[in-house]
Amino acid sequence: SLSENTPPTQLISLLNEVFGQLGDEIFEEKGTIDKFVGDSIMAFWNAPTKIEDHEKRAISATLRIRSALDKINQTRGLKNLPSIHFAMGCASGNACVGNIGSRHRFNYTVIGDVVNTAARNETICRRVGYDIVVSKSMKEAAEFEFALLNAGNVKLKGKAGRSPIFIVVGGLETLRSLEFRELIESHNLLVQALSDASSQLDWRTLLDRCLACSKRVEPNLNRFYETLPDRLEDFKMNSTDSQN
């Protein structure tokens, strides 16, 4: 929305500054920047060189980007400028990486269903009300080093059925904190209540409890929980995917 009231030359200057800082965070985690698409960054890991912990590196990059954006917005706030927010989607799986294009122009890029999934996860951030959404494969590779929460089974454009997604709350420090342990206990009960129509648990009470806990864990989690009543169908037991 910034483009509506920002002259093109200023917008280019802003994008170059932001892309420069956020790109550095990706490089720090050994990522490869594929391309800049408008106001978006597309990056991948594990090519051209093999990286054993590429899923963890990718998630670390999203958290580094979140932190870098906080610093950028602090500076913009001092100048009475509007904040900048990014939605980030990640997925892992097999893909084709190489030079793709015509004989006159080609790019070193990545193609495959997993790329579409990552893009759809980025788009679903708006519905979920949170800035980092990852696939089940990412969660399984990184769940012991990052604080993740089940965000339900959603319908992604171009996908048959529903896909399980998870939000990234924080890193290892957050995962080990007492506040997050209290939150995830209430969160899992909430998911259970929403998933099982015969459950005796009151999901509204559990939602209030999660909202109270989330304020001590990560301030932006409140929007995630506030949007949940509009996403009840995402938690119903209508998918063969695990809710864990």
Side-chain angles (χ1 to χ4, degrees):
S1 60
L2 281 173
S3 62
E4 185 176 0
N5 300 306
T6 305
T9 53
Q10 291 183 24
L11 197 60
I12 289 174
S13 177
L14 172 62
L15 286 173
N16 285 338
E17 178 185 354
V18 172
F19 283 163
Q21 294 185 50
L22 303 192
D24 287 346
E25 305 303 335
I26 292 171
F27 291 140
E28 284 292 325
E29 293 296 339
K30 300 183 179 180
T32 299
I33 292 181
D34 183 305
K35 59 175 71 76
F36 299 103
V37 186
D39 59 357
S40 301
I41 304 174
M42 178 177 172
F44 57 85
W45 277 255
N46 210 31
T49 58
K50 189 171 182 60
I51 301 174
E52 294 296 339
D53 58 347
H54 55 90
E55 294 100 340
K56 298 173 186 176
R57 290 278 187 177
I59 292 178
S60 290
T62 64
L63 292 174
R64 294 177 71 111
I65 287 173
R66 176 192 283 171
S67 179
L69 278 173
D70 285 342
K71 294 177 182 178
I72 290 172
N73 286 329
Q74 286 175 13
T75 301
R76 290 178 63 81
L78 294 174
K79 300 177 182 179
N80 293 318
L81 295 172
S83 298
I84 297 171
H85 303 283
F86 262 45
M88 293 173 272
C90 297
S92 64
N94 294 324
C96 177
V97 185
N99 293 325
I100 300 174
S102 71
R103 61 179 179 173
H104 298 295
R105 182 182 176 88
F106 58 84
N107 292 316
Y108 180 75
T109 188
V110 56
I111 297 292
D113 182 61
V114 66
V115 181
N116 297 333
T117 300
R120 301 296 181 254
N121 284 345
E122 183 269 332
T123 302
I124 209 73
C125 285
R126 294 153 183 79
R127 172 175 166 79
V128 171
Y130 206 62
D131 62 336
I132 308 174
V133 170
V134 302
S135 64
K136 184 179 180 181
S137 59
M138 296 288 288
K139 175 256 187 185
E140 291 173 342
E143 61 184 326
F144 299 113
E145 295 187 33
F146 297 91
L148 306 169
L149 290 176
N150 183 342
N153 295 323
V154 298
K155 188 72 177 71
L156 299 178
K157 184 178 179 181
K159 290 283 189 180
R162 288 179 171 265
S163 302
I165 58 169
F166 302 82
I167 60 171
V168 181
V169 180
L172 188 59
E173 183 178 353
T174 302
L175 175 64
R176 291 176 173 174
S177 69
L178 175 61
E179 292 81 4
F180 184 73
R181 289 202 297 270
E182 292 176 350
L183 172 62
I184 199 167
E185 180 179 351
S186 296
H187 182 85
N188 288 341
L189 288 174
L190 174 60
V191 171
Q192 180 183 341
L194 294 175
S195 302
D196 186 358
S198 63
S199 174
Q200 300 301 308
L201 296 170
D202 181 2
W203 68 265
R204 293 177 181 82
T205 299
L206 291 167
L207 179 61
D208 289 340
R209 188 187 304 173
C210 287
L211 267 168
C213 290
S214 68
K215 296 175 183 177
R216 302 193 300 272
V217 177
E218 208 281 298
N220 293 319
L221 270 173
N222 65 325
R223 177 159 172 75
F224 168 74
Y225 285 112
E226 287 169 355
T227 61
L228 252 174
D230 297 325
R231 301 179 49 235
L232 299 183
E233 70 273 19
D234 294 343
F235 292 88
K236 296 188 187 311
M237 295 282 286
N238 58 356
S239 171
T240 57
D241 293 302
S242 171
Q243 288 282 335
N244 295 322

